[in-house]
Amino acid sequence: MTPDAYYELKAALALFGRDCSALTADERVRAKNVARQYASIETVVLSSDEASGVCLSPGAVKKALGELRDRHQDADSFAATLAHAGLTESLLADALRRDLLVDAVMAKVGAAAGQVGATEAEIFYYTHLDRFHTPERRTARHILITINENFPENTSERAAQRLREIAGRLKAKPGRFEEQAIKHSECPTALNGGQLGEIRRGQLYPELDEALFHLAAGQLSDVLRSEMGFHIVRCDAIHPEGTVPYAEVAETLRQRLTEERASKDAKRWLAGLLKKTRTPAAG
C-alpha cells in the first residue's frame, strides 16, 4: 500500500471533517492533491539524515489509532471508513507510525534552533508593547426577563413590570442580586447568580454595553431593554486598561517564541529538502 490511501483519509478528515466516502467529487480531488503533498513530505523527511535515530514514544501509535477510532460513532462505522479507504487497522497503524515519525523528525530539527533566552524575549516584549495591552474590562452580572408575547408572564408590558419589581427589591437590598438572579433570571447565567464574567466593550448588546461601562463598581443599572428582553446589570469590578507587566508573561512568552522559532526552522529545512527533490540534477 502506498501512503496515499492513509493520507487521503487524513486530508478528508482535516479539510472537511468527513471520511472519503462522504466527499463530493470536487472535495475528493482536493483531498487527493493534499494527500500527494503529505506523501511526498513523508518520503523526503524519512529519507533525510535527520531522521536517523528518531524513535516514537511507547504507545504513541496506539494513542493516535484510538483518537481516529473515537471520531466514529461505533466500531462498525470505523471499519467501514477503513474499508472504503482500502485500509485495515494494521495498515493504518503502520501509516500512523510513519506519519508520527515525520512529526518527530520535524520536532528534532526545530529543537536544534535552541531556546529563546530571557534577553531576547524581553527585547521582543518592549518592541511589541501593543500586543500586551489590555483594554478596560468590567466584571458584571445581569438579570434577564425575556419577551414572548405568546406567554402572559412574558409580554413586553408584564416582563418590564416583573423586572421593575426585582429592581425595587435590589434597591432596598443590593446584596440580594445573586439570589434574585437565581430565582428569576431567564438567562443560563442564572445558575451562577447572573455572572457574566469579565466583559470588554462590544461584547454585550449595545444597550447593556453602554450602561455597564458607565457604572461605578457595585452600582446597578436602570431597567434596560435589548432584543432579548429586559435586563438589570450590576458592575462588580472595574479593571482599567493597561499593559501586562513583563514579569507576568516572561515565561510563556519565551516558550511561545521558542516554539515559533522551532516551527519556522523546521519549515525552512523541509522547504529545502523538497526543493532538492524537485530540482533536476545538472547534466
Side-chain angles (χ1 to χ4, degrees):
M1 180 200 74
T2 67
D4 293 22
Y6 161 69
Y7 282 128
E8 188 175 340
L9 174 60
K10 178 180 177 179
L13 293 172
L15 293 171
F16 308 109
R18 307 189 300 278
D19 63 52
C20 304
S21 64
L23 301 184
T24 65
D26 288 343
E27 290 171 343
R28 187 70 180 267
V29 169
R30 187 178 174 196
K32 282 181 176 292
N33 289 335
V34 172
R36 282 192 287 271
Q37 294 172 18
Y38 283 150
S40 67
I41 288 171
E42 177 191 292
T43 299
V44 298
V45 169
L46 297 187
S47 300
S48 68
D49 293 339
E50 287 79 3
S52 177
V54 173
C55 299
L56 298 179
S57 59
V61 174
K62 184 178 180 180
K63 179 182 178 184
L65 190 60
E67 289 173 351
L68 266 180
R69 189 184 292 113
D70 289 344
R71 296 186 67 165
H72 294 75
Q73 291 182 343
D74 50 42
D76 288 342
S77 64
F78 181 55
T81 294
L82 295 186
H84 189 275
L87 294 165
T88 64
E89 283 209 30
S90 176
L91 291 173
L92 177 60
D94 186 57
L96 283 169
R97 179 186 62 80
R98 295 193 308 274
D99 194 14
L100 291 170
L101 279 171
V102 170
D103 290 342
V105 175
M106 295 287 284
K108 174 185 175 181
V109 172
Q115 294 281 323
V116 168
T119 300
E120 187 177 350
E122 191 167 4
I123 290 172
F124 181 92
Y125 171 83
Y126 284 109
T127 54
H128 298 84
L129 277 176
D130 57 310
R131 300 191 186 187
F132 303 95
H133 179 266
T134 57
E136 180 184 348
R137 287 121 38 238
R138 301 285 177 109
T139 299
R141 296 177 185 270
H142 85 138
I143 295 172
L144 165 68
I145 303 297
T146 58
I147 297 172
N148 187 330
E149 299 297 340
N150 294 320
F151 295 93
E153 284 295 295
N154 288 85
T155 61
S156 179
E157 182 179 349
R158 181 63 183 128
Q161 178 58 35
R162 287 169 61 196
L163 199 54
R164 283 194 292 269
E165 291 170 0
I166 293 170
R169 292 194 288 273
L170 292 177
K171 185 175 182 180
K173 296 182 178 180
R176 295 181 63 191
F177 194 97
E178 291 87 338
E179 169 217 314
Q180 290 293 294
I182 292 169
K183 285 183 177 179
H184 303 291
S185 183
E186 296 171 355
C187 174
T189 60
L191 296 173
N192 294 314
Q195 179 69 59
L196 290 169
E198 283 192 14
I199 303 296
R200 298 182 181 188
R201 286 188 183 273
Q203 287 187 274
L204 301 177
Y205 289 109
E207 302 85 353
L208 277 62
D209 191 82
E210 178 68 18
L212 174 60
F213 281 86
H214 281 87
L215 295 175
Q219 189 177 7
L220 292 173
S221 72
D222 295 329
V223 172
L224 307 168
R225 179 167 182 169
S226 77
E227 62 186 71
M228 285 293 295
F230 293 94
H231 310 249
I232 299 172
V233 176
R234 186 178 80 185
C235 177
D236 286 352
I238 298 173
H239 311 281
E241 67 173 327
T243 300
V244 180
Y246 174 68
E248 290 185 19
V249 299
E251 192 53 39
T252 55
L253 178 59
R254 279 204 324 122
Q255 182 62 31
R256 180 168 63 82
L257 292 176
T258 295
E259 291 171 357
E260 288 178 358
R261 173 192 285 176
S263 178
K264 288 178 181 177
D265 276 20
K267 288 177 180 177
R268 273 196 296 268
W269 171 81
L270 176 59
L273 281 183
L274 292 171
K275 185 177 180 181
K276 287 179 183 178
T277 62
R278 293 166 184 165
T279 303

mmCIF file with all atom_site columns, all heavy atoms in Angstrom, residues 6-31:
data_model
loop_
_atom_site.group_PDB
_atom_site.id
_atom_site.type_symbol
_atom_site.label_atom_id
_atom_site.label_alt_id
_atom_site.label_comp_id
_atom_site.label_asym_id
_atom_site.label_entity_id
_atom_site.label_seq_id
_atom_site.pdbx_PDB_ins_code
_atom_site.Cartn_x
_atom_site.Cartn_y
_atom_site.Cartn_z
_atom_site.occupancy
_atom_site.B_iso_or_equiv
_atom_site.pdbx_formal_charge
_atom_site.auth_seq_id
_atom_site.auth_comp_id
_atom_site.auth_asym_id
_atom_site.auth_atom_id
_atom_site.pdbx_PDB_model_num
ATOM 1   N N   . TYR A 1 6  ? -3.834  6.316  3.202  1.00 0.00 ? 6  TYR A N   1
ATOM 2   C CA  . TYR A 1 6  ? -3.943  6.880  4.553  1.00 0.00 ? 6  TYR A CA  1
ATOM 3   C C   . TYR A 1 6  ? -4.012  8.403  4.490  1.00 0.00 ? 6  TYR A C   1
ATOM 4   O O   . TYR A 1 6  ? -4.841  9.034  5.160  1.00 0.00 ? 6  TYR A O   1
ATOM 5   C CB  . TYR A 1 6  ? -2.750  6.448  5.410  1.00 0.00 ? 6  TYR A CB  1
ATOM 6   C CG  . TYR A 1 6  ? -2.545  7.337  6.620  1.00 0.00 ? 6  TYR A CG  1
ATOM 7   C CD1 . TYR A 1 6  ? -3.459  7.331  7.672  1.00 0.00 ? 6  TYR A CD1 1
ATOM 8   C CD2 . TYR A 1 6  ? -1.466  8.222  6.679  1.00 0.00 ? 6  TYR A CD2 1
ATOM 9   C CE1 . TYR A 1 6  ? -3.292  8.167  8.771  1.00 0.00 ? 6  TYR A CE1 1
ATOM 10  C CE2 . TYR A 1 6  ? -1.298  9.057  7.770  1.00 0.00 ? 6  TYR A CE2 1
ATOM 11  C CZ  . TYR A 1 6  ? -2.202  9.035  8.804  1.00 0.00 ? 6  TYR A CZ  1
ATOM 12  O OH  . TYR A 1 6  ? -2.035  9.866  9.887  1.00 0.00 ? 6  TYR A OH  1
ATOM 13  N N   . TYR A 1 7  ? -3.136  9.006  3.681  1.00 0.00 ? 7  TYR A N   1
ATOM 14  C CA  . TYR A 1 7  ? -3.093  10.456 3.652  1.00 0.00 ? 7  TYR A CA  1
ATOM 15  C C   . TYR A 1 7  ? -4.347  11.059 3.010  1.00 0.00 ? 7  TYR A C   1
ATOM 16  O O   . TYR A 1 7  ? -4.735  12.180 3.330  1.00 0.00 ? 7  TYR A O   1
ATOM 17  C CB  . TYR A 1 7  ? -1.829  10.936 2.948  1.00 0.00 ? 7  TYR A CB  1
ATOM 18  C CG  . TYR A 1 7  ? -0.605  10.844 3.835  1.00 0.00 ? 7  TYR A CG  1
ATOM 19  C CD1 . TYR A 1 7  ? 0.557   10.202 3.420  1.00 0.00 ? 7  TYR A CD1 1
ATOM 20  C CD2 . TYR A 1 7  ? -0.625  11.399 5.117  1.00 0.00 ? 7  TYR A CD2 1
ATOM 21  C CE1 . TYR A 1 7  ? 1.656   10.115 4.241  1.00 0.00 ? 7  TYR A CE1 1
ATOM 22  C CE2 . TYR A 1 7  ? 0.475   11.316 5.951  1.00 0.00 ? 7  TYR A CE2 1
ATOM 23  C CZ  . TYR A 1 7  ? 1.614   10.674 5.504  1.00 0.00 ? 7  TYR A CZ  1
ATOM 24  O OH  . TYR A 1 7  ? 2.698   10.598 6.340  1.00 0.00 ? 7  TYR A OH  1
ATOM 25  N N   . GLU A 1 8  ? -4.980  10.332 2.108  1.00 0.00 ? 8  GLU A N   1
ATOM 26  C CA  . GLU A 1 8  ? -6.251  10.823 1.566  1.00 0.00 ? 8  GLU A CA  1
ATOM 27  C C   . GLU A 1 8  ? -7.315  10.850 2.660  1.00 0.00 ? 8  GLU A C   1
ATOM 28  O O   . GLU A 1 8  ? -8.109  11.790 2.760  1.00 0.00 ? 8  GLU A O   1
ATOM 29  C CB  . GLU A 1 8  ? -6.704  9.944  0.403  1.00 0.00 ? 8  GLU A CB  1
ATOM 30  C CG  . GLU A 1 8  ? -7.921  10.524 -0.319 1.00 0.00 ? 8  GLU A CG  1
ATOM 31  C CD  . GLU A 1 8  ? -8.314  9.724  -1.549 1.00 0.00 ? 8  GLU A CD  1
ATOM 32  O OE1 . GLU A 1 8  ? -7.470  8.977  -2.068 1.00 0.00 ? 8  GLU A OE1 1
ATOM 33  O OE2 . GLU A 1 8  ? -9.484  9.844  -1.961 1.00 0.00 ? 8  GLU A OE2 1
ATOM 34  N N   . LEU A 1 9  ? -7.314  9.817  3.499  1.00 0.00 ? 9  LEU A N   1
ATOM 35  C CA  . LEU A 1 9  ? -8.237  9.793  4.632  1.00 0.00 ? 9  LEU A CA  1
ATOM 36  C C   . LEU A 1 9  ? -7.923  10.934 5.591  1.00 0.00 ? 9  LEU A C   1
ATOM 37  O O   . LEU A 1 9  ? -8.818  11.642 6.069  1.00 0.00 ? 9  LEU A O   1
ATOM 38  C CB  . LEU A 1 9  ? -8.134  8.448  5.360  1.00 0.00 ? 9  LEU A CB  1
ATOM 39  C CG  . LEU A 1 9  ? -8.936  8.308  6.663  1.00 0.00 ? 9  LEU A CG  1
ATOM 40  C CD1 . LEU A 1 9  ? -10.422 8.510  6.403  1.00 0.00 ? 9  LEU A CD1 1
ATOM 41  C CD2 . LEU A 1 9  ? -8.672  6.948  7.302  1.00 0.00 ? 9  LEU A CD2 1
ATOM 42  N N   . LYS A 1 10 ? -6.643  11.134 5.888  1.00 0.00 ? 10 LYS A N   1
ATOM 43  C CA  . LYS A 1 10 ? -6.229  12.217 6.788  1.00 0.00 ? 10 LYS A CA  1
ATOM 44  C C   . LYS A 1 10 ? -6.645  13.575 6.226  1.00 0.00 ? 10 LYS A C   1
ATOM 45  O O   . LYS A 1 10 ? -7.161  14.435 6.964  1.00 0.00 ? 10 LYS A O   1
ATOM 46  C CB  . LYS A 1 10 ? -4.713  12.178 6.986  1.00 0.00 ? 10 LYS A CB  1
ATOM 47  C CG  . LYS A 1 10 ? -4.178  13.303 7.867  1.00 0.00 ? 10 LYS A CG  1
ATOM 48  C CD  . LYS A 1 10 ? -2.663  13.212 8.032  1.00 0.00 ? 10 LYS A CD  1
ATOM 49  C CE  . LYS A 1 10 ? -2.145  14.383 8.859  1.00 0.00 ? 10 LYS A CE  1
ATOM 50  N NZ  . LYS A 1 10 ? -0.680  14.314 9.067  1.00 0.00 ? 10 LYS A NZ  1
ATOM 51  N N   . ALA A 1 11 ? -6.432  13.768 4.933  1.00 0.00 ? 11 ALA A N   1
ATOM 52  C CA  . ALA A 1 11 ? -6.791  15.043 4.304  1.00 0.00 ? 11 ALA A CA  1
ATOM 53  C C   . ALA A 1 11 ? -8.295  15.271 4.337  1.00 0.00 ? 11 ALA A C   1
ATOM 54  O O   . ALA A 1 11 ? -8.766  16.384 4.612  1.00 0.00 ? 11 ALA A O   1
ATOM 55  C CB  . ALA A 1 11 ? -6.287  15.078 2.860  1.00 0.00 ? 11 ALA A CB  1
ATOM 56  N N   . ALA A 1 12 ? -9.070  14.225 4.074  1.00 0.00 ? 12 ALA A N   1
ATOM 57  C CA  . ALA A 1 12 ? -10.530 14.358 4.097  1.00 0.00 ? 12 ALA A CA  1
ATOM 58  C C   . ALA A 1 12 ? -11.024 14.774 5.479  1.00 0.00 ? 12 ALA A C   1
ATOM 59  O O   . ALA A 1 12 ? -11.873 15.663 5.618  1.00 0.00 ? 12 ALA A O   1
ATOM 60  C CB  . ALA A 1 12 ? -11.168 13.035 3.686  1.00 0.00 ? 12 ALA A CB  1
ATOM 61  N N   . LEU A 1 13 ? -10.464 14.146 6.507  1.00 0.00 ? 13 LEU A N   1
ATOM 62  C CA  . LEU A 1 13 ? -10.874 14.472 7.869  1.00 0.00 ? 13 LEU A CA  1
ATOM 63  C C   . LEU A 1 13 ? -10.422 15.874 8.266  1.00 0.00 ? 13 LEU A C   1
ATOM 64  O O   . LEU A 1 13 ? -11.157 16.617 8.922  1.00 0.00 ? 13 LEU A O   1
ATOM 65  C CB  . LEU A 1 13 ? -10.316 13.434 8.843  1.00 0.00 ? 13 LEU A CB  1
ATOM 66  C CG  . LEU A 1 13 ? -10.885 12.013 8.710  1.00 0.00 ? 13 LEU A CG  1
ATOM 67  C CD1 . LEU A 1 13 ? -10.123 11.042 9.600  1.00 0.00 ? 13 LEU A CD1 1
ATOM 68  C CD2 . LEU A 1 13 ? -12.371 11.991 9.051  1.00 0.00 ? 13 LEU A CD2 1
ATOM 69  N N   . ALA A 1 14 ? -9.197  16.231 7.876  1.00 0.00 ? 14 ALA A N   1
ATOM 70  C CA  . ALA A 1 14 ? -8.660  17.539 8.248  1.00 0.00 ? 14 ALA A CA  1
ATOM 71  C C   . ALA A 1 14 ? -9.365  18.680 7.523  1.00 0.00 ? 14 ALA A C   1
ATOM 72  O O   . ALA A 1 14 ? -9.668  19.719 8.123  1.00 0.00 ? 14 ALA A O   1
ATOM 73  C CB  . ALA A 1 14 ? -7.163  17.581 7.952  1.00 0.00 ? 14 ALA A CB  1
ATOM 74  N N   . LEU A 1 15 ? -9.640  18.480 6.235  1.00 0.00 ? 15 LEU A N   1
ATOM 75  C CA  . LEU A 1 15 ? -10.226 19.551 5.435  1.00 0.00 ? 15 LEU A CA  1
ATOM 76  C C   . LEU A 1 15 ? -11.736 19.673 5.593  1.00 0.00 ? 15 LEU A C   1
ATOM 77  O O   . LEU A 1 15 ? -12.283 20.780 5.617  1.00 0.00 ? 15 LEU A O   1
ATOM 78  C CB  . LEU A 1 15 ? -9.908  19.321 3.953  1.00 0.00 ? 15 LEU A CB  1
ATOM 79  C CG  . LEU A 1 15 ? -8.439  19.437 3.524  1.00 0.00 ? 15 LEU A CG  1
ATOM 80  C CD1 . LEU A 1 15 ? -8.277  18.966 2.087  1.00 0.00 ? 15 LEU A CD1 1
ATOM 81  C CD2 . LEU A 1 15 ? -7.953  20.872 3.665  1.00 0.00 ? 15 LEU A CD2 1
ATOM 82  N N   . PHE A 1 16 ? -12.399 18.515 5.699  1.00 0.00 ? 16 PHE A N   1
ATOM 83  C CA  . PHE A 1 16 ? -13.861 18.533 5.634  1.00 0.00 ? 16 PHE A CA  1
ATOM 84  C C   . PHE A 1 16 ? -14.552 17.888 6.822  1.00 0.00 ? 16 PHE A C   1
ATOM 85  O O   . PHE A 1 16 ? -15.782 17.932 6.927  1.00 0.00 ? 16 PHE A O   1
ATOM 86  C CB  . PHE A 1 16 ? -14.322 17.842 4.343  1.00 0.00 ? 16 PHE A CB  1
ATOM 87  C CG  . PHE A 1 16 ? -13.654 18.377 3.109  1.00 0.00 ? 16 PHE A CG  1
ATOM 88  C CD1 . PHE A 1 16 ? -12.720 17.612 2.413  1.00 0.00 ? 16 PHE A CD1 1
ATOM 89  C CD2 . PHE A 1 16 ? -13.930 19.662 2.656  1.00 0.00 ? 16 PHE A CD2 1
ATOM 90  C CE1 . PHE A 1 16 ? -12.089 18.108 1.283  1.00 0.00 ? 16 PHE A CE1 1
ATOM 91  C CE2 . PHE A 1 16 ? -13.305 20.168 1.516  1.00 0.00 ? 16 PHE A CE2 1
ATOM 92  C CZ  . PHE A 1 16 ? -12.372 19.396 0.833  1.00 0.00 ? 16 PHE A CZ  1
ATOM 93  N N   . GLY A 1 17 ? -13.771 17.253 7.724  1.00 0.00 ? 17 GLY A N   1
ATOM 94  C CA  . GLY A 1 17 ? -14.372 16.607 8.883  1.00 0.00 ? 17 GLY A CA  1
ATOM 95  C C   . GLY A 1 17 ? -15.189 15.382 8.532  1.00 0.00 ? 17 GLY A C   1
ATOM 96  O O   . GLY A 1 17 ? -16.018 14.936 9.321  1.00 0.00 ? 17 GLY A O   1
ATOM 97  N N   . ARG A 1 18 ? -14.965 14.823 7.313  1.00 0.00 ? 18 ARG A N   1
ATOM 98  C CA  . ARG A 1 18 ? -15.690 13.642 6.867  1.00 0.00 ? 18 ARG A CA  1
ATOM 99  C C   . ARG A 1 18 ? -14.707 12.693 6.210  1.00 0.00 ? 18 ARG A C   1
ATOM 100 O O   . ARG A 1 18 ? -13.665 13.109 5.711  1.00 0.00 ? 18 ARG A O   1
ATOM 101 C CB  . ARG A 1 18 ? -16.789 14.014 5.861  1.00 0.00 ? 18 ARG A CB  1
ATOM 102 C CG  . ARG A 1 18 ? -17.739 15.085 6.352  1.00 0.00 ? 18 ARG A CG  1
ATOM 103 C CD  . ARG A 1 18 ? -18.920 15.253 5.413  1.00 0.00 ? 18 ARG A CD  1
ATOM 104 N NE  . ARG A 1 18 ? -18.559 15.634 4.060  1.00 0.00 ? 18 ARG A NE  1
ATOM 105 C CZ  . ARG A 1 18 ? -18.287 16.874 3.672  1.00 0.00 ? 18 ARG A CZ  1
ATOM 106 N NH1 . ARG A 1 18 ? -18.320 17.863 4.550  1.00 0.00 ? 18 ARG A NH1 1
ATOM 107 N NH2 . ARG A 1 18 ? -17.990 17.141 2.416  1.00 0.00 ? 18 ARG A NH2 1
ATOM 108 N N   . ASP A 1 19 ? -15.064 11.392 6.191  1.00 0.00 ? 19 ASP A N   1
ATOM 109 C CA  . ASP A 1 19 ? -14.176 10.459 5.502  1.00 0.00 ? 19 ASP A CA  1
ATOM 110 C C   . ASP A 1 19 ? -14.411 10.529 3.998  1.00 0.00 ? 19 ASP A C   1
ATOM 111 O O   . ASP A 1 19 ? -15.328 11.206 3.514  1.00 0.00 ? 19 ASP A O   1
ATOM 112 C CB  . ASP A 1 19 ? -14.344 9.035  6.044  1.00 0.00 ? 19 ASP A CB  1
ATOM 113 C CG  . ASP A 1 19 ? -15.743 8.476  5.800  1.00 0.00 ? 19 ASP A CG  1
ATOM 114 O OD1 . ASP A 1 19 ? -16.205 8.520  4.642  1.00 0.00 ? 19 ASP A OD1 1
ATOM 115 O OD2 . ASP A 1 19 ? -16.369 7.990  6.768  1.00 0.00 ? 19 ASP A OD2 1
ATOM 116 N N   . CYS A 1 20 ? -13.571 9.831  3.253  1.00 0.00 ? 20 CYS A N   1
ATOM 117 C CA  . CYS A 1 20 ? -13.574 9.951  1.787  1.00 0.00 ? 20 CYS A CA  1
ATOM 118 C C   . CYS A 1 20 ? -14.917 9.611  1.162  1.00 0.00 ? 20 CYS A C   1
ATOM 119 O O   . CYS A 1 20 ? -15.319 10.201 0.158  1.00 0.00 ? 20 CYS A O   1
ATOM 120 C CB  . CYS A 1 20 ? -12.486 9.057  1.207  1.00 0.00 ? 20 CYS A CB  1
ATOM 121 S SG  . CYS A 1 20 ? -10.836 9.414  1.871  1.00 0.00 ? 20 CYS A SG  1
ATOM 122 N N   . SER A 1 21 ? -15.640 8.652  1.734  1.00 0.00 ? 21 SER A N   1
ATOM 123 C CA  . SER A 1 21 ? -16.907 8.215  1.144  1.00 0.00 ? 21 SER A CA  1
ATOM 124 C C   . SER A 1 21 ? -17.975 9.293  1.178  1.00 0.00 ? 21 SER A C   1
ATOM 125 O O   . SER A 1 21 ? -18.947 9.238  0.422  1.00 0.00 ? 21 SER A O   1
ATOM 126 C CB  . SER A 1 21 ? -17.431 6.964  1.868  1.00 0.00 ? 21 SER A CB  1
ATOM 127 O OG  . SER A 1 21 ? -17.731 7.263  3.222  1.00 0.00 ? 21 SER A OG  1
ATOM 128 N N   . ALA A 1 22 ? -17.816 10.299 2.050  1.00 0.00 ? 22 ALA A N   1
ATOM 129 C CA  . ALA A 1 22 ? -18.832 11.346 2.191  1.00 0.00 ? 22 ALA A CA  1
ATOM 130 C C   . ALA A 1 22 ? -18.460 12.628 1.450  1.00 0.00 ? 22 ALA A C   1
ATOM 131 O O   . ALA A 1 22 ? -19.152 13.632 1.581  1.00 0.00 ? 22 ALA A O   1
ATOM 132 C CB  . ALA A 1 22 ? -19.047 11.656 3.674  1.00 0.00 ? 22 ALA A CB  1
ATOM 133 N N   . LEU A 1 23 ? -17.369 12.606 0.680  1.00 0.00 ? 23 LEU A N   1
ATOM 134 C CA  . LEU A 1 23 ? -16.932 13.805 -0.018 1.00 0.00 ? 23 LEU A CA  1
ATOM 135 C C   . LEU A 1 23 ? -17.613 13.947 -1.373 1.00 0.00 ? 23 LEU A C   1
ATOM 136 O O   . LEU A 1 23 ? -17.970 12.962 -2.015 1.00 0.00 ? 23 LEU A O   1
ATOM 137 C CB  . LEU A 1 23 ? -15.411 13.770 -0.222 1.00 0.00 ? 23 LEU A CB  1
ATOM 138 C CG  . LEU A 1 23 ? -14.527 13.665 1.015  1.00 0.00 ? 23 LEU A CG  1
ATOM 139 C CD1 . LEU A 1 23 ? -13.059 13.743 0.619  1.00 0.00 ? 23 LEU A CD1 1
ATOM 140 C CD2 . LEU A 1 23 ? -14.870 14.745 2.036  1.00 0.00 ? 23 LEU A CD2 1
ATOM 141 N N   . THR A 1 24 ? -17.756 15.188 -1.811 1.00 0.00 ? 24 THR A N   1
ATOM 142 C CA  . THR A 1 24 ? -18.211 15.452 -3.174 1.00 0.00 ? 24 THR A CA  1
ATOM 143 C C   . THR A 1 24 ? -17.048 15.185 -4.124 1.00 0.00 ? 24 THR A C   1
ATOM 144 O O   . THR A 1 24 ? -15.902 15.002 -3.692 1.00 0.00 ? 24 THR A O   1
ATOM 145 C CB  . THR A 1 24 ? -18.659 16.910 -3.329 1.00 0.00 ? 24 THR A CB  1
ATOM 146 O OG1 . THR A 1 24 ? -17.517 17.768 -3.148 1.00 0.00 ? 24 THR A OG1 1
ATOM 147 C CG2 . THR A 1 24 ? -19.729 17.274 -2.299 1.00 0.00 ? 24 THR A CG2 1
ATOM 148 N N   . ALA A 1 25 ? -17.325 15.203 -5.411 1.00 0.00 ? 25 ALA A N   1
ATOM 149 C CA  . ALA A 1 25 ? -16.271 14.946 -6.393 1.00 0.00 ? 25 ALA A CA  1
ATOM 150 C C   . ALA A 1 25 ? -15.162 15.990 -6.292 1.00 0.00 ? 25 ALA A C   1
ATOM 151 O O   . ALA A 1 25 ? -13.965 15.652 -6.322 1.00 0.00 ? 25 ALA A O   1
ATOM 152 C CB  . ALA A 1 25 ? -16.866 14.936 -7.805 1.00 0.00 ? 25 ALA A CB  1
ATOM 153 N N   . ASP A 1 26 ? -15.534 17.264 -6.140 1.00 0.00 ? 26 ASP A N   1
ATOM 154 C CA  . ASP A 1 26 ? -14.530 18.327 -6.033 1.00 0.00 ? 26 ASP A CA  1
ATOM 155 C C   . ASP A 1 26 ? -13.726 18.188 -4.740 1.00 0.00 ? 26 ASP A C   1
ATOM 156 O O   . ASP A 1 26 ? -12.506 18.410 -4.738 1.00 0.00 ? 26 ASP A O   1
ATOM 157 C CB  . ASP A 1 26 ? -15.196 19.702 -6.082 1.00 0.00 ? 26 ASP A CB  1
ATOM 158 C CG  . ASP A 1 26 ? -15.706 20.047 -7.476 1.00 0.00 ? 26 ASP A CG  1
ATOM 159 O OD1 . ASP A 1 26 ? -15.276 19.386 -8.443 1.00 0.00 ? 26 ASP A OD1 1
ATOM 160 O OD2 . ASP A 1 26 ? -16.533 20.982 -7.583 1.00 0.00 ? 26 ASP A OD2 1
ATOM 161 N N   . GLU A 1 27 ? -14.410 17.842 -3.654 1.00 0.00 ? 27 GLU A N   1
ATOM 162 C CA  . GLU A 1 27 ? -13.712 17.660 -2.384 1.00 0.00 ? 27 GLU A CA  1
ATOM 163 C C   . GLU A 1 27 ? -12.732 16.492 -2.462 1.00 0.00 ? 27 GLU A C   1
ATOM 164 O O   . GLU A 1 27 ? -11.629 16.543 -1.903 1.00 0.00 ? 27 GLU A O   1
ATOM 165 C CB  . GLU A 1 27 ? -14.727 17.437 -1.255 1.00 0.00 ? 27 GLU A CB  1
ATOM 166 C CG  . GLU A 1 27 ? -15.527 18.681 -0.901 1.00 0.00 ? 27 GLU A CG  1
ATOM 167 C CD  . GLU A 1 27 ? -16.676 18.407 0.054  1.00 0.00 ? 27 GLU A CD  1
ATOM 168 O OE1 . GLU A 1 27 ? -17.062 17.210 0.202  1.00 0.00 ? 27 GLU A OE1 1
ATOM 169 O OE2 . GLU A 1 27 ? -17.206 19.364 0.642  1.00 0.00 ? 27 GLU A OE2 1
ATOM 170 N N   . ARG A 1 28 ? -13.149 15.446 -3.154 1.00 0.00 ? 28 ARG A N   1
ATOM 171 C CA  . ARG A 1 28 ? -12.284 14.271 -3.301 1.00 0.00 ? 28 ARG A CA  1
ATOM 172 C C   . ARG A 1 28 ? -11.004 14.626 -4.062 1.00 0.00 ? 28 ARG A C   1
ATOM 173 O O   . ARG A 1 28 ? -9.916  14.187 -3.700 1.00 0.00 ? 28 ARG A O   1
ATOM 174 C CB  . ARG A 1 28 ? -13.050 13.159 -4.027 1.00 0.00 ? 28 ARG A CB  1
ATOM 175 C CG  . ARG A 1 28 ? -12.307 11.822 -4.097 1.00 0.00 ? 28 ARG A CG  1
ATOM 176 C CD  . ARG A 1 28 ? -12.221 11.184 -2.717 1.00 0.00 ? 28 ARG A CD  1
ATOM 177 N NE  . ARG A 1 28 ? -11.514 9.918  -2.767 1.00 0.00 ? 28 ARG A NE  1
ATOM 178 C CZ  . ARG A 1 28 ? -12.112 8.739  -2.923 1.00 0.00 ? 28 ARG A CZ  1
ATOM 179 N NH1 . ARG A 1 28 ? -13.440 8.682  -3.041 1.00 0.00 ? 28 ARG A NH1 1
ATOM 180 N NH2 . ARG A 1 28 ? -11.410 7.632  -2.929 1.00 0.00 ? 28 ARG A NH2 1
ATOM 181 N N   . VAL A 1 29 ? -11.158 15.441 -5.108 1.00 0.00 ? 29 VAL A N   1
ATOM 182 C CA  . VAL A 1 29 ? -9.981  15.875 -5.873 1.00 0.00 ? 29 VAL A CA  1
ATOM 183 C C   . VAL A 1 29 ? -9.031  16.664 -4.982 1.00 0.00 ? 29 VAL A C   1
ATOM 184 O O   . VAL A 1 29 ? -7.810  16.458 -5.004 1.00 0.00 ? 29 VAL A O   1
ATOM 185 C CB  . VAL A 1 29 ? -10.410 16.728 -7.087 1.00 0.00 ? 29 VAL A CB  1
ATOM 186 C CG1 . VAL A 1 29 ? -9.198  17.405 -7.732 1.00 0.00 ? 29 VAL A CG1 1
ATOM 187 C CG2 . VAL A 1 29 ? -11.133 15.862 -8.113 1.00 0.00 ? 29 VAL A CG2 1
ATOM 188 N N   . ARG A 1 30 ? -9.595  17.568 -4.181 1.00 0.00 ? 30 ARG A N   1
ATOM 189 C CA  . ARG A 1 30 ? -8.746  18.378 -3.301 1.00 0.00 ? 30 ARG A CA  1
ATOM 190 C C   . ARG A 1 30 ? -8.051  17.502 -2.264 1.00 0.00 ? 30 ARG A C   1
ATOM 191 O O   . ARG A 1 30 ? -6.866  17.684 -1.986 1.00 0.00 ? 30 ARG A O   1
ATOM 192 C CB  . ARG A 1 30 ? -9.589  19.448 -2.593 1.00 0.00 ? 30 ARG A CB  1
ATOM 193 C CG  . ARG A 1 30 ? -8.742  20.424 -1.803 1.00 0.00 ? 30 ARG A CG  1
ATOM 194 C CD  . ARG A 1 30 ? -9.560  21.498 -1.146 1.00 0.00 ? 30 ARG A CD  1
ATOM 195 N NE  . ARG A 1 30 ? -8.744  22.327 -0.281 1.00 0.00 ? 30 ARG A NE  1
ATOM 196 C CZ  . ARG A 1 30 ? -9.238  23.143 0.649  1.00 0.00 ? 30 ARG A CZ  1
ATOM 197 N NH1 . ARG A 1 30 ? -10.549 23.249 0.804  1.00 0.00 ? 30 ARG A NH1 1
ATOM 198 N NH2 . ARG A 1 30 ? -8.428  23.852 1.408  1.00 0.00 ? 30 ARG A NH2 1
ATOM 199 N N   . ALA A 1 31 ? -8.785  16.535 -1.701 1.00 0.00 ? 31 ALA A N   1
ATOM 200 C CA  . ALA A 1 31 ? -8.193  15.630 -0.711 1.00 0.00 ? 31 ALA A CA  1
ATOM 201 C C   . ALA A 1 31 ? -7.059  14.821 -1.332 1.00 0.00 ? 31 ALA A C   1
ATOM 202 O O   . ALA A 1 31 ? -6.019  14.607 -0.696 1.00 0.00 ? 31 ALA A O   1
ATOM 203 C CB  . ALA A 1 31 ? -9.265  14.707 -0.136 1.00 0.00 ? 31 ALA A CB  1
#
